[in-house]
Amino acid sequence: MKTMKLVVALAFCSQMAYAEFDHKEVIEGPFTQGSDVTEQCIECHEDHAKEFMKSSHWTWELEQELPGRTVKRGKKNSINNFCVSISGNEPRCTSCHAGYGWKDNSFDFTDMTKVDCLVCHDTTGTYIKEPAGAGEAMAKVNLERVAQNVGQPVRDNCGTCHFYGGGGDAVKHGDLDSSMSYPEKDTDVHMDTDGNDFQCQTCHTTASHQISGNAMGVSPGGENPIGCENCHDSAPHDNKKLNTHTAAVACQTCHIPFFARNEPTKMRWDWSTAGQELTETKDKNGKKTFMNKKGSFEWQKMVPPQYAWFNGKADAYMAGDKIDPAQVIKLTYPLGDINDSKAKIYPFKVHTGKQIFDSKLNILITPKVFGKNGYWDKFDWDLASKLGMEANTTMKDKGLSYSGEHGFVETEMWWRINHMVSPKEQALQCSDCHNKGQRLGWQALGYDGDPMKNKKGKRHPTD
């Protein structure tokens, strides 16, 4: 029976580019785990799996250029100021990996059966991964039903991970959260379900499973950009004065006046207070502001972005880089300044934190927080630091291990704001930035003051 169904599948494969194929014709369970489904998928889609295995959604790293060095970087080895690093914490972090079974450094990235086809192609809305199961599907999921009803991805498929990065709704990005699944026009004019109803891949165009666009946090040197100019020309306004702004001001700066419009986003995480015997508290939005195992948080809603010059490139802290603990450590940050002709004023979410570092070696620590003997188990920073550094292959390759001495240092991480584009009626107005407007910090951007009043000797957005 299975052989006959495979013949039917192959006969229809050539038609799949033109019409959705009914997989009930060829998929047959029951299945006990996700990789069992993949084994049937690749009978017809082996080439698609090979394509996907070349993508950063599978490898969690890209070779990229940072100032003065070429690095391999991605979620696999970047350091953030949320849960810090996946090293030693894989079963929890890799619940968002599009694969099955990444429990530690022994995961086989060449094993095609470990590719998770369903997380992107489920159309039933019932496919859920175990929160700490190294990417495996929950036991309650009817894998046969999901596999028989696969189709093109929609916002919910992407949002399964991207809306909930950092361990919860709206935590990391600020402009991506559950409200983007079925947004109204005021939330996002492009994805408005009663209007344009864009899916993610409308802008993040995809060929051979390579998805355009890079998150600056993990791929600061990524060269796979997308932009407003893909659909809009460089002079999109009827007003000539507004069009002159586009040489120095990114579209997003005026057209995304606020992020976290519906769901509060985390703006600060202070690990140094973790382990203290304090009462766990919540803010006015019901978000926890202190948790014994994680420390202190600050959340905000309807947040005006911070602004900086950005030329499309960024720099980042890499595991093992030396730090000056007297300074705020920038984990990722945009490159460009007022004299850079390629740079524009761009909106960002800046997430601040206080996180653990090795006070003898002056490097950031990647602690083991999840699982047996992790910080959330033993509440022992020395043990968590030792185990996390031992699990970090980058640190081991550099001959680095925990010295036995630690402290906490201030950090900041810059996140580009691209989503939650408001209707044009809600875009920033001239008076928001000029005259007495306080939206832009002109001096921080390199101006003497409002360039509308003082254009002498400075690049300005109002030519």
Side-chain angles (χ1 to χ4, degrees):
M1 174 65 75
K2 187 175 179 181
T3 302
M4 184 180 295
K5 289 195 172 190
L6 177 57
V7 172
V8 173
L10 293 173
F12 278 95
C13 273
S14 62
Q15 301 178 23
M16 291 179 65
Y18 305 101
E20 290 292 332
F21 176 66
D22 186 357
H23 285 76
K24 295 184 182 70
E25 297 286 336
V26 293
I27 296 293
E28 183 179 31
F31 303 108
T32 59
Q33 58 186 4
S35 56
D36 294 339
V37 178
T38 305
E39 287 181 4
Q40 286 198 27
C41 293
I42 61 179
E43 289 178 358
C44 191
H45 296 286
E46 181 177 352
D47 288 344
H48 294 116
K50 288 179 179 178
E51 291 171 357
F52 178 74
M53 292 169 74
K54 296 177 182 177
S55 76
S56 58
H57 275 82
W58 174 253
T59 63
W60 274 16
E61 67 179 4
L62 288 172
E63 183 174 286
Q64 49 195 292
E65 297 294 328
L66 300 184
R69 54 183 171 173
T70 301
V71 301
K72 274 195 172 182
R73 177 186 168 91
K75 288 178 68 67
K76 183 185 287 187
N77 63 352
S78 60
I79 295 177
N80 61 49
N81 52 8
F82 293 88
C83 286
V84 186
S85 171
I86 77 166
S87 296
N89 305 301
E90 286 86 353
R92 180 66 184 90
C93 299
T94 59
S95 62
C96 265
H97 183 239
Y100 301 117
W102 186 355
K103 297 179 181 179
D104 52 37
N105 290 330
S106 67
F107 180 71
D108 184 359
F109 285 92
T110 68
D111 185 349
M112 192 178 298
T113 67
K114 298 302 183 184
V115 171
D116 182 354
C117 308
L118 301 181
V119 71
C120 294
H121 293 285
D122 168 43
T123 67
T124 69
T126 64
Y127 185 74
I128 305 171
K129 285 174 171 271
E130 284 285 355
E136 299 289 352
M138 279 188 167
K140 68 178 183 179
V141 174
N142 184 334
L143 292 172
E144 183 175 22
R145 180 190 171 215
V146 174
Q148 289 178 342
N149 291 277
V150 291
Q152 292 296 314
V154 295
R155 289 184 297 268
D156 270 336
N157 295 100
C158 305
T160 296
C161 288
H162 291 287
F163 296 167
Y164 297 92
D169 192 6
V171 170
K172 275 188 176 178
H173 294 273
D175 62 343
L176 289 172
D177 59 42
S178 60
S179 70
M180 297 291 277
S181 288
Y182 302 96
E184 297 179 348
K185 186 176 181 180
D186 283 354
T187 297
D188 190 282
V189 72
H190 294 119
M191 296 188 178
D192 171 26
T193 52
D194 294 324
N196 291 311
D197 199 22
F198 283 9
Q199 300 304 314
C200 299
Q201 59 268 36
T202 305
C203 293
H204 294 274
T205 55
T206 303
S208 301
H209 282 85
Q210 308 302 306
I211 303 172
S212 60
N214 294 119
M216 198 178 88
V218 293
S219 301
E223 295 187 353
N224 194 9
I226 62 174
C228 305
E229 294 82 2
N230 287 13
C231 293
H232 302 279
D233 63 37
S234 59
H237 308 97
D238 294 331
N239 184 306
K240 183 178 178 181
K241 178 61 71 175
L242 291 179
N243 284 333
T244 62
H245 282 64
T246 61
V249 182
C251 304
Q252 295 91 328
T253 295
C254 294
H255 289 278
I256 311 178
F258 300 96
F259 60 89
R261 299 183 69 92
N262 302 292
E263 300 295 331
T265 189
K266 192 172 287 185
M267 297 298 292
R268 179 169 175 80
W269 185 334
D270 182 354
W271 278 99
S272 70
T273 62
Q276 297 182 12
E277 295 297 326
L278 303 174
T279 302
E280 294 200 354
T281 54
K282 294 183 179 181
D283 63 16
K284 62 182 180 181
N285 293 307
K287 294 293 187 180
K288 291 183 178 180
T289 56
F290 176 79
M291 293 178 67
N292 180 255
K293 71 176 188 177
K294 292 184 177 181
S296 304
F297 314 117
E298 292 178 13
W299 301 79
Q300 291 182 33
K301 190 175 177 181
M302 285 295 286
V303 186
Q306 292 191 43
Y307 301 95
W309 291 100
F310 179 50
N311 63 15
K313 297 288 186 180
D315 202 355
Y317 179 89
M318 293 292 293
D321 286 353
K322 292 287 186 179
I323 67 169
D324 177 359
Q327 303 294 320
V328 176
I329 311 306
K330 294 184 177 183
L331 300 181
T332 56
Y333 56 96
L335 298 175
D337 57 43
I338 194 171
N339 298 311
D340 185 341
S341 62
K342 295 182 179 179
K344 295 184 180 184
I345 299 170
Y346 204 96
F348 294 88
K349 168 186 170 177
V350 181
H351 182 268
T352 65
K354 199 169 186 181
Q355 64 197 90
I356 194 167
F357 80 105
D358 191 307
S359 54
K360 184 175 182 179
L361 299 178
N362 282 335
I363 59 174
L364 293 181
I365 289 170
T366 56
K368 176 180 174 62
V369 295
F370 172 81
K372 184 178 179 180
N373 294 325
Y375 183 75
W376 296 339
D377 179 27
K378 301 297 185 181
F379 287 85
D380 183 337
W381 277 122
D382 287 316
L383 178 60
S385 299
K386 177 178 180 293
L387 295 177
M389 295 289 275
E390 287 176 350
N392 191 313
T393 56
T394 302
M395 297 294 193
K396 290 170 69 175
D397 289 345
K398 293 183 177 182
L400 297 171
S401 59
Y402 177 50
S403 73
E405 300 177 19
H406 72 267
F408 292 87
V409 65
E410 287 285 340
T411 61
E412 64 182 34
M413 191 171 187
W414 291 63
W415 295 80
R416 287 185 299 171
I417 297 298
N418 289 310
H419 309 90
M420 297 190 176
V421 178
S422 295
K424 61 182 180 181
E425 297 80 13
Q426 298 177 23
L428 294 182
Q429 302 299 305
C430 301
S431 59
D432 288 314
C433 301
H434 299 292
N435 295 321
K436 295 182 180 180
Q438 300 296 312
R439 174 62 71 136
L440 294 183
W442 293 115
Q443 290 186 339
L445 290 168
Y447 294 96
D448 294 330
D450 185 347
M452 181 177 281
K453 298 179 179 179
N454 181 14
K455 299 183 179 182
K456 187 176 181 180
K458 290 286 187 180
R459 180 185 177 201
H460 50 84
T462 56
D463 281 334

